[in-house]
Every structure is written in C-alpha cells, then in structure tokens.
Amino acid sequence: MITLQDEKLIALLRSNARASISDLARSLDLSRSTVQSRLQKLEQSGVIQGYSVEFGEAYLSELVEAHVSIKVKQKLTTKTNIALKHITHISALYAISGEYDMIAVVEAQSLQQLSTILDDIGNLEGVERTNSSVILETKFKR
C-alpha cells in the first residue's frame, strides 16, 4: 500500500524522473533520507520498476507514429509476440478484444521507414493481417 506522500513522490518523478533527491525532498518538504528511503521501498516493492527516457517535443514532432491492429494465428501468438518485441520501432504492444488481437504503437523517422516496418510486421510468421492508422496529431497525452 502506498501513502499519500508516496503518491506525491511518484507524481514528481513522472514529471521529472531525473530530479535530484534534494529537489524531491524540498518539493515534498521532507528530509533527503526520508525521500531516499521511500524511493528505495517503492523500488523494492515493485511500485517503481525503473526509469525511462521521455523524448522532447522537437524530436517527437519529427516522428511518424501509427497504431497497427494485428490479427494473429492463435497457435502462434507467443512466437509472434516475441518477434514483435524484437522490432525496436514498436514502442508498445497491447492485447485487445474484438476483430484484431493486438495493437502495436509504431514510431518511425519517415513514412518510408514506417512502410518498411509495416511490411516487416505483416511478414512475421503468425500474422494473418494488419490494419494501420497513422497518427496525424496528438491532442493531449498523460
């Protein structure tokens, strides 16, 4: 169970995971050792699994992003998931209900690169068909 202070700490980290312990302590009006201890407990309990890179607007504005719906042959689902995980341009893969089995979020440097990645996905063993939607504009993201 996480506390209200833990929730505030997590919110600060989501805003800036590179914030120093001192800055976090000041923002939370806690001692450095208390913040360090809370962080350690959150990591050990699995609440915080790791820290990642968040791209800047200048870089993101140049990316072409698409949602790719994927229909998979059921007996090859595990093999297909492993193959999709190895495509580094897939930033997320979701299992879904409905006509398709999964949605992949694909990020590419250009439309030409996106087309190549879509071909790579479509040619994987176990993929029956795909349907792609290029993201034209992100209205907001949380």
Side-chain angles (χ1 to χ4, degrees), residues 72 76-86 93 102 125:
V72 178
L76 296 174
T77 299
T78 301
K79 186 175 184 176
T80 305
N81 286 345
I82 292 168
L84 289 166
K85 190 172 188 175
H86 286 93
L93 182 65
M102 294 181 278
E125 184 179 1

Side-chain angles (χ1 to χ4, degrees), residues 10-24:
I10 291 167
L12 289 171
L13 289 170
R14 288 185 81 182
S15 174
N16 180 9
R18 291 184 54 152
S20 70
I21 299 295
S22 297
D23 289 342
L24 294 169

Side-chain angles (χ1 to χ4, degrees), residues 68-133:
V68 182
S69 301
I70 305 168
K71 178 72 176 162
V72 178
K73 294 177 186 169
Q74 292 305 311
K75 291 185 179 184
L76 296 174
T77 299
T78 301
K79 186 175 184 176
T80 305
N81 286 345
I82 292 168
L84 289 166
K85 190 172 188 175
H86 286 93
I87 299 176
T88 58
H89 289 91
I90 297 177
S91 61
L93 182 65
Y94 303 98
I96 60 170
S97 62
E99 181 181 350
Y100 290 89
D101 302 303
M102 294 181 278
I103 291 181
V105 179
V106 177
E107 298 172 339
Q109 297 290 324
S110 65
L111 287 173
Q112 182 178 2
Q113 185 183 42
L114 177 62
S115 179
T116 301
I117 297 163
L118 295 176
D119 288 343
D120 291 345
I121 292 170
N123 289 326
L124 289 175
E125 184 179 1
V127 173
E128 289 184 8
R129 69 180 180 277
T130 64
N131 185 14
S132 305
S133 299

